[in-house]
Amino acid sequence: GEQILLHFANKQKINIKGLKAGSTFIQKLLIKPAQRLHFALKKKTWSFEKNTLHSSPLAIRTGAVDIKTGPLQCAFSALGSTNSGLKIITQLSSPTLVVTTSKAEVPLKNIAGHFQLQQRTISSTLQAEPEHIPGRLQAELQHDLTDSAGFFTLRTDKRLDLNPEEVTLASLLS
């Protein structure tokens, strides 16, 4: 049948500059796979074999929000398309993440998360530590692309203690 297999060279690097998609802009992105990339195109579906991608620090502007990460690691167990649409299942991690808007900057550290897009539904979890407040934040997102409906929750692993050393809620934002 119709099938195309591509096996990328060892230590292949992917360098992307000036990527724009809608209101999102990525100035520069350098990706290094941990293992050789293997790509398959069969009839109307495509896929990559599972792998871990390492990227240089990433800066993304989406609308009026700037997002900057430290070096990013993305370990995907599924990346491709199916008859019902795109399928992505991945674990993400970075030592730092800073979200900046015109009103505030939120610096986070020790970022770890899970992202899944399957059957037109996005589900994601993220854990991070605020840079200036002890504790851990846990975020969960679920969004149905067909119905344009979903939810977002943000929790802490324990009560945020804002009293020691004059720490205030404003310390979360710098």
Side-chain angles (χ1 to χ4, degrees):
E2 298 174 27
Q3 183 172 326
I4 296 174
L5 299 174
L6 295 175
H7 303 286
F8 291 77
N10 268 339
K11 299 184 182 180
Q12 185 73 39
K13 295 178 187 173
I14 301 165
N15 194 2
I16 300 169
K17 293 183 181 179
L19 177 66
K20 185 167 175 57
S23 65
T24 302
F25 180 73
I26 299 173
Q27 185 173 6
K28 181 181 174 187
L29 176 61
L30 177 63
I31 301 171
K32 299 175 188 174
Q35 303 163 358
R36 291 174 55 171
L37 285 176
H38 300 279
F39 174 80
L41 177 62
K42 298 175 186 175
K43 295 188 181 181
K44 294 183 180 181
T45 64
W46 59 270
S47 65
F48 281 93
E49 282 185 12
K50 68 181 185 177
N51 205 329
T52 299
L53 304 176
H54 301 275
S55 87
S56 57
L58 181 61
I60 300 171
R61 172 167 278 256
T62 181
V65 177
D66 286 320
I67 301 167
K68 294 182 181 173
T69 72
L72 187 62
Q73 181 172 301
C74 173
F76 61 87
S77 56
L79 178 58
S81 68
T82 66
N83 292 333
S84 60
L86 200 56
K87 181 177 181 178
I88 302 171
I89 301 174
T90 188
Q91 299 289 99
L92 302 165
S93 64
S94 179
T96 60
L97 172 73
V98 179
V99 179
T100 305
T101 68
S102 61
K103 299 192 185 290
E105 182 174 273
V106 181
L108 302 169
K109 61 184 181 181
N110 300 323
I111 316 307
H114 173 82
F115 176 86
Q116 181 172 312
L117 168 59
Q118 188 165 283
Q119 298 174 347
R120 301 196 45 80
T121 298
I122 295 171
S123 60
S124 183
T125 58
L126 182 74
Q127 295 184 355
E129 297 172 20
E131 185 72 37
H132 305 293
I133 297 176
R136 196 151 178 80
L137 301 174
Q138 301 163 347
E140 181 180 0
L141 166 83
Q142 193 155 34
H143 185 76
D144 185 313
L145 297 172
T146 304
D147 299 338
S148 296
F151 67 86
F152 174 80
T153 59
L154 181 64
R155 294 185 176 102
T156 58
D157 63 341
K158 57 185 175 186
R159 190 182 85 199
L160 290 178
D161 189 357
L162 303 177
N163 289 330
E165 302 173 21
E166 299 302 314
V167 175
T168 65
L169 190 55
S171 300
L172 179 61
L173 311 171
S174 49

